Amino acid sequence: MTCGRYPGPLLVLLCLLHGSEETCPSMCLCVSDTVSCSSSGLTKLPLSLPAFSVTLDLSHNQLSWLNPGSFNRMPRLENLRMAQNQLSSLGHGVFHNASGLRLLDLSSNKLQVVEQHYFQGLWRLEELLLFNNKIAQVEAGTLSGLSSLKKAYFSLNQITHFPFFSIQDHSHPFLIMLDLSSNRMSRLPWEDVKALPGLVQRGLYLHNNSLICDCSMYSVFWHWDLRGYDSLKDFTDEHTCSIYGDPRASIRFLRHNRFFHNCTVEKAVSEPVTVLLSNVLVSEGERVRLDCQTSLSSIELSFTWLSPSKGYITQTSINDTLISLFANGTLEIQAAKVNDSGLYVCTALDIKQALNATREVNVTVLLPAAESFNTGYTTLLGCVVTLVFILIYLYLTPCRCSCCKQPKPPVIPIATYDPSTLTSVFSPSTRESKIQTNKHVAFMEPMLSEEGTEWTPQS
Ligand SMILES: *[C@@H]1O[C@H](CO)[C@@H](O)[C@H](O)[C@H]1NC(C)=O
Ligand SMILES: *[C@@H]1O[C@H](CO)[C@@H](O)[C@H](O)[C@H]1NC(C)=O
Ligand SMILES: *[C@@H]1O[C@H](CO)[C@@H](O)[C@H](O)[C@H]1NC(C)=O
Ligand SMILES: *[C@@H]1O[C@H](CO)[C@@H](O)[C@H](O)[C@H]1NC(C)=O
Ligand SMILES: *[C@@H]1O[C@H](CO)[C@@H](O)[C@H](O)[C@H]1NC(C)=O
Ligand SMILES: *[C@@H]1O[C@H](CO)[C@@H](O)[C@H](O)[C@H]1NC(C)=O
Ligand SMILES: *[C@@H]1O[C@H](CO)[C@@H](O)[C@H](O)[C@H]1NC(C)=O
Ligand SMILES: *[C@@H]1O[C@H](CO)[C@@H](O)[C@H](O)[C@H]1NC(C)=O
């Protein structure tokens, strides 16, 4: 496509649009925004490549060197495919002014060291393919600055060490795939691995390395296995380790774990602990029950509550008829006092699996304010308290007084309340419904809680 072929105005327009060197190199195919020069026997980059291309395919060639600024005349370039070439290193500034790159495929080349400067400035890069090279070393700063990175493939290389510590939540918030399988890693810095963001751990592939069997390694995989990560499920048999580093004594440790029987799988792999914050509002003198429902579902959990007025409460520590802790973690306060208000924190501990999770409940005990009930509709607090008392009255309170008034018909003007601020839950989740027979009222902080902690007033 040369400008000379077009008549007057069109020529000007095209020349403005495309600049001066718009020729499609003879060995390439140029289609709309895509230029394919694959399998063309190239040993050097073609001199002039169309500036408008978004995708440039140079794979299956003989490229062994790229000049600095090779792609700086292609401001729209997003996908650069250079798989199956002869590149053994990249000089400084190869991707200078190519910061629009989203995909960079350098797989099946002859790269040996991934140097810190290689991908400098590629802050939009989402996918980096480096598998099947001869990479033995990945320099520490290689991935820093690649803040958009989603997937990085380092498989089928000779990597013995990888800078896990350089990947943190704030540095790579989108990283969901880090493939380091089929390399030569024998001992990993497991503390760094455990400190990786949860999403990276989930997408970390480590099978077919030369891992040495030991408890710290096993503990990490054990936790990942427990969580059912695909990286383990899909490659169960490829997860091998060698006993005492002897490659002949290699075991498939996800299948055969006899060797690890003496390991104590003690520390949970760091993952954000589920904290469910709920608010509970009661009047003084009421019985309050705070459930400790957490992300843990084992039946062998032990529970500890930290109460603002009574300190730590465990099942063995309480010697108080006014407060009890049930085996299922529910804390019961017989008659709440105003100074029982505050933040209650329950920790559920699964000793076997070394997991724990916490649950926070903000308890507010109100002084009974009898007269205010009739006018309390104007405030949310009034609405809540009133609804609670109507419900207690309707469903729970047996008639004690001799002059029993006929209960008001259950005209609870829920429709006039803003449903986002007040929620009535009459069908509790399956876990609690087994045991609870009473009606529940749950108050949810709309922004904070996934499920409100219920409290059950008793008659
Ligand atoms: C690279 O980009 C900068 C700013 O975007 C520009 O000033 C410079 O001319 C570009 N370099 C080349 C070689 O195109
Ligand atoms: C395991 O890695 C080696 C190289 O380290 C490779 O040749 C082999 O194909 C890989 N096996 C699997 C099943 O990926
Ligand atoms: C585990 O410990 C027992 C006793 O402490 C010992 O006899 C056994 O050899 C150990 N097993 C392994 C695989 O280390
Ligand atoms: C809470 O108030 C009660 C009386 O209502 C009092 O006996 C108790 O000592 C108070 N507890 C604390 C921790 O202040
Ligand atoms: C519980 O309290 C009673 C008296 O109130 C006391 O005799 C008993 O020793 C206490 N038990 C524990 C375990 O503290
Ligand atoms: C809960 O687990 C964390 C690590 O995940 C640990 O630091 C903490 O001590 C554990 N808490 C309890 C009560 O075991
Ligand atoms: C608990 O609730 C009270 C009243 O609703 C509020 O003032 C307090 O800030 C809350 N505490 C926490 C830790 O959320
Ligand atoms: C826990 O046990 C107590 C007493 O058995 C029961 O009242 C309460 O509803 C239970 N809580 C849950 C969440 O199952």
Side-chain angles (χ1 to χ4, degrees):
M1 190 200 312
T2 50
C3 296
R5 272 199 258 140
Y6 298 91
L10 186 57
L11 178 144
V12 175
L13 184 67
L14 279 171
C15 291
L16 280 178
L17 277 177
H18 290 159
S20 47
E21 58 273 286
E22 291 315 297
T23 351
C24 184
S26 58
M27 68 294 269
C28 305
L29 276 175
C30 302
V31 190
S32 62
D33 62 357
T34 295
V35 179
S36 169
C37 313
S38 67
S39 307
S40 310
L42 293 172
T43 54
K44 281 190 297 192
L45 221 57
L47 272 180
S48 61
L49 286 160
F52 51 81
S53 33
V54 172
T55 298
L56 174 59
D57 187 352
L58 295 164
S59 47
H60 294 272
N61 281 298
Q62 307 294 320
L63 300 173
S64 58
W65 180 250
L66 296 168
N67 289 323
S70 285
F71 307 101
N72 63 10
R73 295 238 173 94
M74 306 176 85
R76 292 202 239 154
L77 192 60
E78 290 184 8
N79 308 304
L80 179 54
R81 301 187 182 276
M82 295 191 289
Q84 306 277 354
N85 275 283
Q86 304 291 324
L87 297 165
S88 58
S89 70
L90 298 177
H92 282 267
V94 167
F95 301 116
H96 185 233
N97 280 23
S99 63
L101 276 184
R102 290 171 185 270
L103 177 141
L104 177 56
D105 186 353
L106 288 164
S107 63
S108 301
N109 274 278
K110 297 192 153 52
L111 297 172
Q112 291 160 9
V113 178
V114 184
E115 293 173 46
Q116 193 146 333
H117 65 81
Y118 275 15
F119 310 121
Q120 240 168 29
L122 302 185
W123 62 275
R124 289 200 186 94
L125 193 67
E126 294 173 7
E127 216 163 311
L128 176 61
L129 290 84
L130 288 168
F131 60 83
N132 196 29
N133 274 274
K134 304 206 173 313
I135 301 169
Q137 195 193 342
V138 178
E139 287 187 355
T142 300
L143 299 182
S144 52
L146 304 186
S147 53
S148 301
L149 199 61
K150 291 181 179 163
K151 300 179 171 190
Y153 299 85
F154 289 91
S155 179
L156 288 164
N157 278 294
Q158 294 152 24
I159 300 170
T160 53
H161 296 91
F162 189 84
F164 292 104
F165 62 85
S166 69
I167 298 172
Q168 278 151 22
D169 217 5
H170 57 271
S171 65
H172 299 88
F174 309 109
L175 191 61
I176 52 165
M177 160 70 85
L178 179 56
D179 184 1
L180 288 163
S181 63
S182 301
N183 273 287
R184 297 202 182 153
M185 290 188 281
S186 54
R187 289 187 197 280
L188 270 69
W190 292 113
E191 290 305 318
D192 293 350
V193 172
K194 283 190 278 188
L196 287 171
L199 283 177
V200 180
Q201 290 189 36
R202 184 175 282 275
L204 181 59
Y205 286 72
L206 288 172
H207 59 274
N208 194 25
N209 269 279
S210 0
L211 296 176
I212 294 173
C213 306
D214 67 25
C215 286
S216 48
M217 173 219 101
Y218 182 70
S219 142
V220 172
F221 283 100
W222 184 88
H223 280 103
W224 288 344
D225 199 22
L226 192 75
R227 303 203 166 105
Y229 290 177
D230 288 341
S231 53
L232 274 69
K233 274 197 298 197
D234 296 346
F235 297 95
T236 303
D237 286 335
E238 283 81 11
H239 279 85
T240 56
C241 67
S242 55
I243 297 169
Y244 310 124
D246 181 349
R248 287 164 302 175
S250 176
I251 56 174
R252 292 182 172 151
F253 60 85
L254 293 179
R255 293 234 188 265
H256 310 289
N257 58 9
R258 248 177 310 129
F259 182 77
F260 303 98
H261 273 176
N262 288 359
C263 295
T264 45
V265 191
E266 49 193 354
K267 262 201 199 154
V269 177
S270 98
E271 196 169 53
V273 179
T274 316
V275 175
L276 302 163
L277 183 65
S278 326
N279 287 334
V280 169
L281 208 56
V282 289
S283 291
E284 190 159 55
E286 296 284 356
R287 182 184 294 187
V288 189
R289 277 186 179 171
L290 308 174
D291 288 344
C292 185
Q293 282 162 350
T294 65
S295 51
L296 301 182
S297 56
S298 158
I299 47 164
E300 288 176 75
L301 295 173
S302 68
F303 298 91
T304 308
W305 280 92
L306 179 58
S307 127
S309 52
K310 300 194 168 56
Y312 282 101
I313 301 169
T314 61
Q315 260 179 313
T316 49
S317 77
I318 42 173
N319 189 15
D320 191 339
T321 50
L322 293 176
I323 196 159
S324 30
L325 175 55
F326 299 119
N328 61 13
T330 296
L331 184 76
E332 185 178 83
I333 303 169
Q334 291 295 332
K337 296 193 194 67
V338 170
N339 63 13
D340 285 329
S341 296
L343 196 64
Y344 287 67
V345 181
C346 176
T347 303
L349 183 60
D350 182 342
I351 296 163
K352 252 194 184 163
Q353 305 189 352
L355 297 172
N356 66 34
T358 59
R359 177 77 192 251
E360 298 185 17
V361 186
N362 186 2
V363 175
T364 309
V365 182
L366 300 166
L367 278 170
E371 291 91 68
S372 70
F373 285 163
N374 297 332
T375 55
Y377 286 98
T378 46
T379 63
L380 170 65
L381 213 62
C383 293
V384 169
V385 172
T386 306
L387 180 58
V388 168
F389 275 78
I390 290 172
L391 289 168
I392 294 167
Y393 187 55
L394 290 180
Y395 295 101
L396 301 168
T397 316
C399 258
R400 283 204 215 88
C401 51
S402 52
C403 54
C404 248
K405 273 185 277 177
Q406 202 54 28
K408 275 186 221 154
V411 184
I412 302 166
I414 284 179
T416 67
Y417 299 151
D418 178 354
S420 68
T421 55
L422 174 64
T423 316
S424 226
V425 178
F426 288 101
S427 47
S429 73
T430 48
R431 227 187 310 171
E432 54 201 55
S433 61
K434 280 182 294 192
I435 302 166
Q436 298 274 346
T437 50
N438 293 321
K439 309 274 180 195
H440 313 297
V441 182
F443 303 101
M444 298 190 198
E445 189 77 2
M447 302 306 294
L448 293 171
S449 72
E450 290 175 305
E451 48 172 4
T453 284
E454 66 188 55
W455 65 276
T456 309
Q458 306 281 304
S459 53

